[in-house]
């Protein structure tokens, strides 16, 4: 039935749009766009042309519906009077009107200034048009004769419109066409030929370090990403329009008095809020939210609240609250103040009572299933029109615990026939006989997010309420509620959610991964939780650089590849990570021409560009007659493109000497390599191409330092596992590989949790919290190079 009604409405709208002269294609496209449809219907009613009008007027009305500045909607009826009466009859006049009203906003204006700005009453005669066209052609005659019909007409029209901006475009075009024909005659075949484009000479190739981000369309980090946001004193403009099913429109904006009161309380400074729900650990998407919320406040010299959205006591834990505060600090942000939505429970309750008194809320007894069914059918609740006094009494009974859980809710009386699902009488309060982690057992009714969020924004005098795009449809409800209560209205702006490849960002999915033991914990280094990234060895500065590089946009269709995050991690670690030597899968090499028990202390560099005379930039590594190299750095059969060790071949041990393989000890299967015999070149006369990392016995018969190394890879095989029905089946079985007995140089024994290391040729690593004095554990933060392939975003 609703589908039939919907089709009927579309047919009526199509008929209405055709009646004002729109061509059929434009009319059908408009009907397919609910927002433009609502705007155009409102304009037609305001213009009082529901019975139709001329095509020229109708096209101008369509332009008003699609382009009129939202900050001056109070003046739109005035403009429409001028359009319908043909005092404004050209697109140029209309564009001038838009500019005038955009600059004026909702303030009063002088009619004569408006008319002057839009050329009202200015008539340009055909004789004046003809004279101006002749003048232009005379001035450009030689160029026109040379280029003929290939001439850029825009360059000819420009001086005309500068002189006569209010001339009739149709008459102007006719005189231009006539003058061209008079001067050039009929088009020839040569006039219609395309002129071949000249090939641009390629500039000389300059060798320079490629910037990985430019290929992915990263905004320049030199640009201030917060310039897009208005100042607090601009919060008098229309924030949004709420379209009701009866054709009326609510234009939400702050009154002069409300804005002045707000600015007095805040001192005119920016106030934002970061409002996480304490029902899980924060992930990298929250890093973007923090960057925008805290970053804007910091950029403008304002403050950002850390506000816990604690309206659901069943899902909230003290562990999560403590974690959030710790992570916010780790990310480098300092809250202006830490608050809880529950701090305002009394205010929220009092305002709910006021909402009922004003006729904008009612106590409902429908079950969740009934509410869902009625919403799908766009039907009002049977209790929607109950007397105000009755709802007030029942709401008081709810507060006192006299009504059973699930037997009543308080719902906002919005618009059940709206095109916006978030205006279907949203729930404001529900009964829950559950003690609150922060508020204790004082309350047994709790406000919903949709009710509490906007009100607390207003009570805290938030200037910019920033959220992700999935909340855009809730704008209508947000402003409807504040308008209904006569409260100050913050500026709401939605930005694109951060979606990263090869992971999931949903708290529900993350919670399932943790509780079902698919990962070890909330801070498992394979997760893109901020705790997991920190444990993996990623720094907050690298995360913030990544977020800044993405920018603050409203494009919600992009999936950011995880290697873009890794680019920023490598950029930082390449400058800050100490170099050291670790062998993951040791293969024993006995150096036969170095006496057993002899140990040489060699200098190895902590930094690749360290000066030889800088003692602090190097560390000592022992070199003895037993060293270990990676199993993968030895082959029984050599090849031209192989730079590792092979029988009869030489390689250079980094920071040490060249060695040459003289013999190989094999297992009984004649394939498994057990040990290598080699000779070293103490004079370093040999110049092999291959350079290997290694670790030696610190003294005769003593094993090198044993460490555990954990190699982490992407958690999911697919780029977008969230789209899969069986997303858990896409888990990467090789996402965590544990190497229990790697060998390291002795200096690594002193590693601290704040240290970051580059295990040469292996990647960047950090100490894990599982480390003990008996055995150190290192997590691979990121490989030295992108291992996920090229391309993508």
């Amino acid at each position: 039935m609703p589908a039939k009604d919907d089709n009927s409405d579309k047919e009526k709208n199509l008929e209405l749009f055709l009646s004002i002269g729109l061509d059929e294609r434009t009319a059908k496209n408009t009907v397919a766009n609910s927002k433009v449809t609502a705007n155009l219907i409102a304009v037609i009613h305001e213009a009082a042309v529901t019975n139709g009008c001329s095509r020229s007027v109708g096209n101008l009305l369509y332009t008003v519906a699609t382009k009129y500045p939202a900050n001056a909607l109070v003046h739109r009826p005035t403009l429409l009077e001028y359009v319908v009466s043909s005092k404004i009859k050209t697109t140029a006049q209309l564009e001038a009107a838009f500019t005038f009203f955009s600059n004026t906003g909702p303030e009063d204006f002088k009619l004569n200034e408006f008319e002057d700005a839009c050329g009202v009453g200015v008539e340009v005669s055909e004789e004046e048009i003809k004279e101006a066209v002749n003048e232009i052609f005379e001035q450009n005659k030689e160029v026109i004769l040379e280029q003929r019909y290939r001439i850029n007409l825009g360059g000819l029209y420009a001086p005309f419109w500068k002189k006569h901006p209010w001339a009739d475009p149709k008459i102007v075009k006719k005189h231009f066409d006539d003058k061209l024909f008079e001067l050039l005659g009929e088009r020839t075949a040569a006039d219609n030929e395309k002129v071949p484009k000249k090939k641009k000479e390629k500039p000389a190739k300059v060798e320079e370090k490629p910037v990985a981000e430019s290929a992915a369309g990263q905004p320049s980090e030199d640009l201030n990403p917060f310039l897009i946001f208005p100042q607090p004193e601009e919060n008098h403009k229309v924030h949004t329009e709420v379209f009701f099913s009866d054709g009326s429109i609510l234009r939400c904006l702050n009154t002069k008095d409300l804005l002045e009161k707000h600015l007095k309380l805040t001192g005119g400074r920016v106030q934002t809020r970061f409002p996480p729900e304490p029902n899980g650990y924060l992930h990298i998407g929250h890093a973007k939210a923090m960057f925008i919320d805290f970053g804007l406040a910091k950029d403008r010299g304002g403050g950002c609240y850390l506000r816990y959205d604690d309206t659901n006591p069943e899902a909230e834990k003290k562990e999560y609250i403590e974690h959030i505060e710790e992570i916010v600090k780790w990310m480098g942000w300092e809250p202006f103040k830490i608050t809880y939505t529950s701090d305002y429970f009394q205010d929220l309750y009092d305002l709910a009572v006021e909402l009922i008194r004003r006729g904008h809320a009612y106590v409902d007894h429908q079950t969740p299933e009934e509410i869902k069914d009625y919403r799908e059918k766009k039907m009002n609740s049977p209790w929607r029109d109950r007397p105000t006094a009755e709802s007030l009494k029942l709401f008081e009974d709810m507060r006192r615990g006299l009504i059973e859980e699930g037997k009543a809710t308080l719902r906002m009386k919005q618009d059940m026939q709206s095109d916006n699902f978030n205006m279907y009488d949203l729930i404001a309060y529900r009964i829950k006989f559950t003690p609150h982690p922060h508020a204790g057992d004082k309350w047994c009714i709790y406000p919903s997010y949709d009710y509490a969020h906007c009100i607390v924004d207003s009570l805290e005098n938030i200037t910019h309420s920033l959220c992700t795009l999935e909340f855009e449809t809730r704008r209508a409800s947000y402003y409807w509620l504040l308008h209904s209560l006569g409260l100050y209205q913050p500026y709401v702006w939605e930005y694109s959610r951060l979606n990263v490849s090869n992971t999931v960002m949903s708290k529900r999915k993350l919670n399932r991964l943790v509780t079902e033991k698919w990962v070890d914990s909330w801070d498992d280094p394979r997760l893109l939780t901020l705790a997991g990234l920190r444990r993996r060895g990623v720094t907050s500065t690298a995360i913030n650089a990544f977020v800044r590089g993405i920018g603050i946009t409203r494009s919600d269709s992009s999936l950011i590849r995880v290697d873009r995050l890794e680019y920023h991690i490598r950029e930082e670690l390449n400058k800050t990570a100490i170099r050291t030597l670790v062998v993951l899968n040791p293969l024993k090499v006995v150096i036969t021409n170095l006496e057993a028990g002899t140990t040489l202390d060699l200098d190895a560099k902590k930094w690749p560009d360290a000066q030889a005379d800088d003692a602090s930039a190097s560390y000592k590594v022992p070199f003895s007659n037993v060293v270990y190299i990676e199993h993968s750095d030895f082959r029984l059969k050599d090849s031209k493109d192989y730079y590792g060790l092979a029988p009869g071949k030489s390689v250079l041990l980094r920071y040490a000497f060249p060695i040459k393989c003289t013999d190989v000890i094999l297992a009984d299967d004649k394939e498994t390599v057990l040990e290598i015999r080699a000779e070293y070149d103490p004079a370093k006369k040999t110049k092999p191409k291959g350079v290997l990392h290694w670790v030696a016995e610190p003294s005769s018969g003593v094993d090198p330092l044993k460490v555990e190394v954990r190699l982490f890879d992407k958690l999911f095989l697919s780029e977008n596992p969230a789209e899969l029905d069986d997303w858990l089946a896409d888990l990467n079985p090789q996402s965590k590989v544990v190497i229990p007995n790697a060998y390291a140089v002795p200096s690594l024994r002193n590693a601290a949790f704040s240290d970051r290391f580059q295990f040469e040729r292996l990647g960047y690593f950090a100490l894990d919290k599982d480390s003990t004095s008996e055995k150190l554990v290192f997590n691979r933060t990121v490989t030295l190079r992108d291992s996920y392939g090229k391309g993508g975003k």
Side-chain angles (χ1 to χ4, degrees), residues 488-527:
Y488 158 77
Q489 300 170 25
Y491 170 78
V492 173
W493 198 85
E494 301 89 3
Y495 55 87
S496 59
R497 183 187 176 116
L498 177 55
N499 297 306
V500 181
S501 69
N502 303 100
T503 192
V504 291
M505 307 284 277
S506 154
K507 271 193 181 179
R508 182 180 59 82
K509 286 184 169 66
L510 288 171
N511 188 62
R512 189 172 172 190
L513 287 171
V514 174
T515 55
E516 295 181 10
K517 305 298 183 183
W518 296 99
V519 294
D520 299 330
S521 58
W522 278 102
D523 66 349
D524 188 301
R526 290 168 291 179
L527 296 176

Short mmCIF file of all heavy atoms in Angstrom, two decimals, residues 488-527:
data_model
loop_
_atom_site.label_atom_id
_atom_site.label_comp_id
_atom_site.label_asym_id
_atom_site.label_seq_id
_atom_site.Cartn_x
_atom_site.Cartn_y
_atom_site.Cartn_z
N TYR A 488 19.52 26.80 22.11
CA TYR A 488 20.60 27.19 21.18
C TYR A 488 20.94 26.00 20.28
O TYR A 488 21.01 24.85 20.72
CB TYR A 488 21.83 27.64 21.97
CG TYR A 488 23.11 27.56 21.18
CD1 TYR A 488 23.42 28.53 20.21
CD2 TYR A 488 23.99 26.50 21.37
CE1 TYR A 488 24.58 28.44 19.47
CE2 TYR A 488 25.16 26.41 20.64
CZ TYR A 488 25.45 27.37 19.68
OH TYR A 488 26.59 27.28 18.94
N GLN A 489 21.21 26.29 18.98
CA GLN A 489 21.47 25.24 18.00
C GLN A 489 22.91 25.33 17.49
O GLN A 489 23.28 26.29 16.82
CB GLN A 489 20.50 25.39 16.82
CG GLN A 489 19.04 25.28 17.23
CD GLN A 489 18.09 25.67 16.11
OE1 GLN A 489 18.43 25.58 14.94
NE2 GLN A 489 16.89 26.09 16.48
N PRO A 490 23.74 24.33 17.80
CA PRO A 490 25.12 24.31 17.28
C PRO A 490 25.14 24.12 15.77
O PRO A 490 24.15 23.72 15.16
CB PRO A 490 25.75 23.11 17.99
CG PRO A 490 24.87 22.84 19.16
CD PRO A 490 23.50 23.23 18.74
N TYR A 491 26.28 24.38 15.19
CA TYR A 491 26.50 24.14 13.75
C TYR A 491 26.88 22.67 13.59
O TYR A 491 27.87 22.20 14.15
CB TYR A 491 27.63 25.05 13.25
CG TYR A 491 28.14 24.76 11.86
CD1 TYR A 491 27.43 25.18 10.73
CD2 TYR A 491 29.34 24.09 11.66
CE1 TYR A 491 27.91 24.92 9.45
CE2 TYR A 491 29.83 23.83 10.39
CZ TYR A 491 29.11 24.25 9.29
OH TYR A 491 29.59 24.00 8.02
N VAL A 492 26.09 21.92 12.81
CA VAL A 492 26.35 20.50 12.59
C VAL A 492 27.03 20.32 11.23
O VAL A 492 26.60 20.92 10.24
CB VAL A 492 25.05 19.68 12.63
CG1 VAL A 492 25.30 18.23 12.24
CG2 VAL A 492 24.44 19.74 14.04
N TRP A 493 28.08 19.53 11.20
CA TRP A 493 28.76 19.25 9.93
C TRP A 493 29.20 17.79 9.94
O TRP A 493 29.80 17.31 10.90
CB TRP A 493 29.98 20.16 9.77
CG TRP A 493 30.48 20.26 8.36
CD1 TRP A 493 30.03 21.08 7.37
CD2 TRP A 493 31.54 19.49 7.77
NE1 TRP A 493 30.75 20.88 6.21
CE2 TRP A 493 31.69 19.92 6.44
CE3 TRP A 493 32.40 18.49 8.26
CZ2 TRP A 493 32.64 19.38 5.57
CZ3 TRP A 493 33.34 17.96 7.40
CH2 TRP A 493 33.45 18.40 6.06
N GLU A 494 28.88 17.08 8.86
CA GLU A 494 29.21 15.66 8.76
C GLU A 494 30.41 15.48 7.82
O GLU A 494 30.54 16.17 6.82
CB GLU A 494 28.03 14.85 8.22
CG GLU A 494 26.78 14.94 9.08
CD GLU A 494 25.87 16.09 8.69
OE1 GLU A 494 26.18 16.80 7.70
OE2 GLU A 494 24.85 16.31 9.37
N TYR A 495 31.27 14.55 8.18
CA TYR A 495 32.43 14.23 7.35
C TYR A 495 32.46 12.74 7.07
O TYR A 495 31.77 11.94 7.72
CB TYR A 495 33.73 14.67 8.06
CG TYR A 495 33.90 14.09 9.45
CD1 TYR A 495 34.48 12.84 9.66
CD2 TYR A 495 33.44 14.78 10.58
CE1 TYR A 495 34.62 12.31 10.93
CE2 TYR A 495 33.57 14.27 11.85
CZ TYR A 495 34.17 13.03 12.01
OH TYR A 495 34.29 12.49 13.27
N SER A 496 33.25 12.35 6.08
CA SER A 496 33.29 10.95 5.68
C SER A 496 33.91 10.08 6.76
O SER A 496 34.91 10.45 7.38
CB SER A 496 34.06 10.79 4.37
OG SER A 496 35.38 11.26 4.53
N ARG A 497 33.31 8.94 6.96
CA ARG A 497 33.84 7.97 7.91
C ARG A 497 35.15 7.40 7.37
O ARG A 497 35.33 7.27 6.16
CB ARG A 497 32.80 6.85 8.05
CG ARG A 497 33.14 5.78 9.07
CD ARG A 497 32.12 4.66 8.98
NE ARG A 497 32.46 3.56 9.86
CZ ARG A 497 31.73 3.17 10.89
NH1 ARG A 497 30.61 3.81 11.16
NH2 ARG A 497 32.10 2.17 11.64
N LEU A 498 36.07 7.08 8.26
CA LEU A 498 37.34 6.50 7.85
C LEU A 498 37.17 4.99 7.67
O LEU A 498 36.92 4.28 8.64
CB LEU A 498 38.43 6.80 8.89
CG LEU A 498 39.80 6.18 8.64
CD1 LEU A 498 40.33 6.55 7.26
CD2 LEU A 498 40.80 6.61 9.71
N ASN A 499 37.29 4.53 6.44
CA ASN A 499 37.22 3.11 6.13
C ASN A 499 38.58 2.64 5.63
O ASN A 499 39.09 3.16 4.64
CB ASN A 499 36.15 2.84 5.06
CG ASN A 499 34.76 3.22 5.53
OD1 ASN A 499 34.31 2.77 6.57
ND2 ASN A 499 34.09 4.08 4.77
N VAL A 500 39.18 1.69 6.32
CA VAL A 500 40.52 1.20 5.97
C VAL A 500 40.41 -0.24 5.50
O VAL A 500 39.63 -1.04 6.03
CB VAL A 500 41.47 1.30 7.18
CG1 VAL A 500 42.87 0.83 6.82
CG2 VAL A 500 41.52 2.74 7.69
N SER A 501 41.19 -0.59 4.49
CA SER A 501 41.11 -1.92 3.89
C SER A 501 41.62 -3.01 4.83
O SER A 501 42.38 -2.76 5.76
CB SER A 501 41.92 -1.95 2.59
OG SER A 501 43.31 -1.85 2.87
N ASN A 502 41.18 -4.23 4.55
CA ASN A 502 41.65 -5.45 5.22
C ASN A 502 41.40 -5.47 6.73
O ASN A 502 42.14 -6.09 7.49
CB ASN A 502 43.15 -5.67 4.95
CG ASN A 502 43.46 -5.75 3.47
OD1 ASN A 502 43.92 -4.78 2.90
ND2 ASN A 502 43.19 -6.88 2.85
N THR A 503 40.34 -4.78 7.15
CA THR A 503 39.97 -4.80 8.56
C THR A 503 38.49 -4.52 8.69
O THR A 503 37.81 -4.26 7.70
CB THR A 503 40.80 -3.78 9.36
OG1 THR A 503 40.62 -4.02 10.76
CG2 THR A 503 40.39 -2.35 9.04
N VAL A 504 37.98 -4.58 9.92
CA VAL A 504 36.60 -4.17 10.20
C VAL A 504 36.65 -3.05 11.23
O VAL A 504 37.53 -3.02 12.09
CB VAL A 504 35.74 -5.35 10.72
CG1 VAL A 504 35.49 -6.36 9.62
CG2 VAL A 504 36.39 -6.03 11.93
N MET A 505 35.70 -2.13 11.12
CA MET A 505 35.69 -0.96 12.01
C MET A 505 34.46 -0.92 12.91
O MET A 505 34.38 -0.11 13.82
CB MET A 505 35.73 0.33 11.17
CG MET A 505 36.87 0.39 10.17
SD MET A 505 38.44 0.75 10.94
CE MET A 505 38.32 2.53 11.02
N SER A 506 33.51 -1.80 12.63
CA SER A 506 32.29 -1.84 13.44
C SER A 506 32.62 -2.32 14.85
O SER A 506 33.29 -3.35 15.04
CB SER A 506 31.28 -2.78 12.79
OG SER A 506 30.39 -3.31 13.73
N LYS A 507 32.12 -1.60 15.86
CA LYS A 507 32.36 -2.02 17.25
C LYS A 507 31.75 -3.39 17.51
O LYS A 507 32.29 -4.18 18.28
CB LYS A 507 31.77 -0.99 18.21
CG LYS A 507 32.73 0.12 18.58
CD LYS A 507 32.20 0.90 19.77
CE LYS A 507 33.13 2.03 20.15
NZ LYS A 507 32.62 2.81 21.29
N ARG A 508 30.61 -3.65 16.87
CA ARG A 508 29.97 -4.95 17.05
C ARG A 508 30.86 -6.07 16.53
O ARG A 508 31.04 -7.10 17.19
CB ARG A 508 28.62 -4.95 16.31
CG ARG A 508 27.83 -6.26 16.47
CD ARG A 508 26.52 -6.19 15.70
NE ARG A 508 26.73 -5.96 14.29
CZ ARG A 508 27.04 -6.93 13.42
NH1 ARG A 508 27.20 -8.18 13.84
NH2 ARG A 508 27.18 -6.65 12.14
N LYS A 509 31.44 -5.86 15.36
CA LYS A 509 32.33 -6.88 14.79
C LYS A 509 33.63 -6.99 15.60
O LYS A 509 34.14 -8.09 15.83
CB LYS A 509 32.63 -6.57 13.32
CG LYS A 509 31.47 -6.84 12.37
CD LYS A 509 31.88 -6.60 10.92
CE LYS A 509 30.84 -7.14 9.94
NZ LYS A 509 29.57 -6.44 9.98
N LEU A 510 34.16 -5.85 16.02
CA LEU A 510 35.38 -5.88 16.84
C LEU A 510 35.12 -6.62 18.15
O LEU A 510 35.95 -7.43 18.59
CB LEU A 510 35.85 -4.46 17.13
CG LEU A 510 36.47 -3.68 15.97
CD1 LEU A 510 36.69 -2.22 16.35
CD2 LEU A 510 37.79 -4.31 15.53
N ASN A 511 33.98 -6.36 18.75
CA ASN A 511 33.63 -7.02 20.01
C ASN A 511 33.52 -8.53 19.81
O ASN A 511 33.96 -9.32 20.65
CB ASN A 511 32.31 -6.47 20.53
CG ASN A 511 31.99 -6.98 21.92
OD1 ASN A 511 32.72 -6.74 22.87
ND2 ASN A 511 30.89 -7.70 22.05
N ARG A 512 32.98 -8.93 18.66
CA ARG A 512 32.85 -10.37 18.38
C ARG A 512 34.22 -11.01 18.18
O ARG A 512 34.46 -12.13 18.65
CB ARG A 512 31.99 -10.57 17.13
CG ARG A 512 31.62 -12.02 16.91
CD ARG A 512 30.62 -12.19 15.80
NE ARG A 512 30.43 -13.59 15.49
CZ ARG A 512 29.75 -14.06 14.45
NH1 ARG A 512 29.17 -13.20 13.61
NH2 ARG A 512 29.65 -15.35 14.23
N LEU A 513 35.12 -10.31 17.49
CA LEU A 513 36.48 -10.85 17.30
C LEU A 513 37.16 -11.08 18.64
O LEU A 513 37.87 -12.08 18.83
CB LEU A 513 37.31 -9.87 16.46
CG LEU A 513 36.99 -9.79 14.96
CD1 LEU A 513 37.75 -8.62 14.34
CD2 LEU A 513 37.34 -11.09 14.25
N VAL A 514 36.92 -10.18 19.59
CA VAL A 514 37.57 -10.28 20.90
C VAL A 514 36.90 -11.34 21.77
O VAL A 514 37.57 -12.23 22.32
CB VAL A 514 37.56 -8.91 21.62
CG1 VAL A 514 38.10 -9.05 23.05
CG2 VAL A 514 38.39 -7.90 20.84
N THR A 515 35.58 -11.27 21.88
CA THR A 515 34.87 -12.17 22.80
C THR A 515 34.89 -13.62 22.32
O THR A 515 34.89 -14.54 23.14
CB THR A 515 33.41 -11.71 23.00
OG1 THR A 515 32.76 -11.60 21.73
CG2 THR A 515 33.38 -10.37 23.70
N GLU A 516 34.92 -13.83 21.00
CA GLU A 516 34.96 -15.20 20.47
C GLU A 516 36.39 -15.69 20.26
O GLU A 516 36.62 -16.75 19.68
CB GLU A 516 34.18 -15.28 19.16
CG GLU A 516 32.68 -15.03 19.34
CD GLU A 516 31.90 -15.15 18.03
OE1 GLU A 516 32.49 -15.60 17.01
OE2 GLU A 516 30.71 -14.80 18.02
N LYS A 517 37.37 -14.91 20.72
CA LYS A 517 38.79 -15.31 20.72
C LYS A 517 39.38 -15.49 19.32
O LYS A 517 40.33 -16.26 19.14
CB LYS A 517 39.00 -16.60 21.52
CG LYS A 517 38.47 -16.55 22.96
CD LYS A 517 39.16 -15.50 23.79
CE LYS A 517 38.69 -15.49 25.24
NZ LYS A 517 39.30 -14.42 26.04
N TRP A 518 38.85 -14.78 18.32
CA TRP A 518 39.48 -14.80 17.00
C TRP A 518 40.79 -14.01 17.05
O TRP A 518 41.70 -14.24 16.26
CB TRP A 518 38.56 -14.21 15.95
CG TRP A 518 37.29 -14.99 15.75
CD1 TRP A 518 36.06 -14.73 16.26
CD2 TRP A 518 37.14 -16.19 14.99
NE1 TRP A 518 35.15 -15.68 15.88
CE2 TRP A 518 35.78 -16.60 15.08
CE3 TRP A 518 38.02 -16.99 14.23
CZ2 TRP A 518 35.29 -17.74 14.46
CZ3 TRP A 518 37.53 -18.12 13.60
CH2 TRP A 518 36.18 -18.49 13.71
N VAL A 519 40.86 -13.06 17.97
CA VAL A 519 42.10 -12.33 18.26
C VAL A 519 42.34 -12.44 19.76
O VAL A 519 41.49 -12.93 20.50
CB VAL A 519 42.01 -10.85 17.83
CG1 VAL A 519 41.89 -10.72 16.32
CG2 VAL A 519 40.85 -10.14 18.52
N ASP A 520 43.50 -12.00 20.21
CA ASP A 520 43.88 -12.23 21.60
C ASP A 520 43.21 -11.28 22.60
O ASP A 520 42.95 -11.65 23.73
CB ASP A 520 45.41 -12.12 21.74
CG ASP A 520 46.13 -13.16 20.89
OD1 ASP A 520 45.55 -14.26 20.69
OD2 ASP A 520 47.24 -12.89 20.41
N SER A 521 42.94 -10.04 22.15
CA SER A 521 42.41 -9.04 23.07
C SER A 521 42.06 -7.79 22.27
O SER A 521 42.29 -7.71 21.06
CB SER A 521 43.44 -8.70 24.14
OG SER A 521 44.63 -8.22 23.52
N TRP A 522 41.50 -6.78 22.97
CA TRP A 522 41.20 -5.50 22.32
C TRP A 522 42.47 -4.83 21.80
O TRP A 522 42.43 -4.04 20.86
CB TRP A 522 40.51 -4.55 23.29
CG TRP A 522 39.03 -4.80 23.44
CD1 TRP A 522 38.40 -5.43 24.48
CD2 TRP A 522 37.99 -4.38 22.55
NE1 TRP A 522 37.04 -5.45 24.27
CE2 TRP A 522 36.75 -4.81 23.10
CE3 TRP A 522 37.97 -3.70 21.33
CZ2 TRP A 522 35.53 -4.57 22.48
CZ3 TRP A 522 36.76 -3.46 20.71
CH2 TRP A 522 35.56 -3.89 21.28
N ASP A 523 43.61 -5.10 22.45
CA ASP A 523 44.86 -4.47 22.00
C ASP A 523 45.72 -5.44 21.18
O ASP A 523 46.93 -5.28 21.08
CB ASP A 523 45.65 -3.91 23.17
CG ASP A 523 46.18 -4.99 24.12
OD1 ASP A 523 45.75 -6.16 23.99
OD2 ASP A 523 47.01 -4.65 25.00
N ASP A 524 45.08 -6.44 20.58
CA ASP A 524 45.80 -7.34 19.66
C ASP A 524 46.39 -6.47 18.54
O ASP A 524 45.68 -5.68 17.91
CB ASP A 524 44.84 -8.37 19.08
CG ASP A 524 45.56 -9.45 18.28
OD1 ASP A 524 46.25 -9.09 17.29
OD2 ASP A 524 45.42 -10.64 18.60
N PRO A 525 47.70 -6.62 18.27
CA PRO A 525 48.34 -5.76 17.26
C PRO A 525 47.79 -5.92 15.84
O PRO A 525 48.11 -5.10 14.97
CB PRO A 525 49.82 -6.20 17.33
CG PRO A 525 49.99 -6.72 18.71
CD PRO A 525 48.69 -7.42 19.02
N ARG A 526 46.97 -6.94 15.60
CA ARG A 526 46.39 -7.09 14.26
C ARG A 526 45.16 -6.21 14.07
O ARG A 526 44.73 -5.96 12.94
CB ARG A 526 46.00 -8.55 14.03
CG ARG A 526 47.19 -9.48 13.87
CD ARG A 526 46.77 -10.92 13.93
NE ARG A 526 46.32 -11.32 15.26
CZ ARG A 526 45.88 -12.53 15.58
NH1 ARG A 526 45.81 -13.46 14.63
NH2 ARG A 526 45.52 -12.81 16.81
N LEU A 527 44.58 -5.75 15.17
CA LEU A 527 43.41 -4.89 15.08
C LEU A 527 43.85 -3.44 14.86
O LEU A 527 44.92 -3.04 15.30
CB LEU A 527 42.59 -4.96 16.38
CG LEU A 527 41.95 -6.30 16.73
CD1 LEU A 527 41.26 -6.21 18.09
CD2 LEU A 527 40.95 -6.72 15.67
#
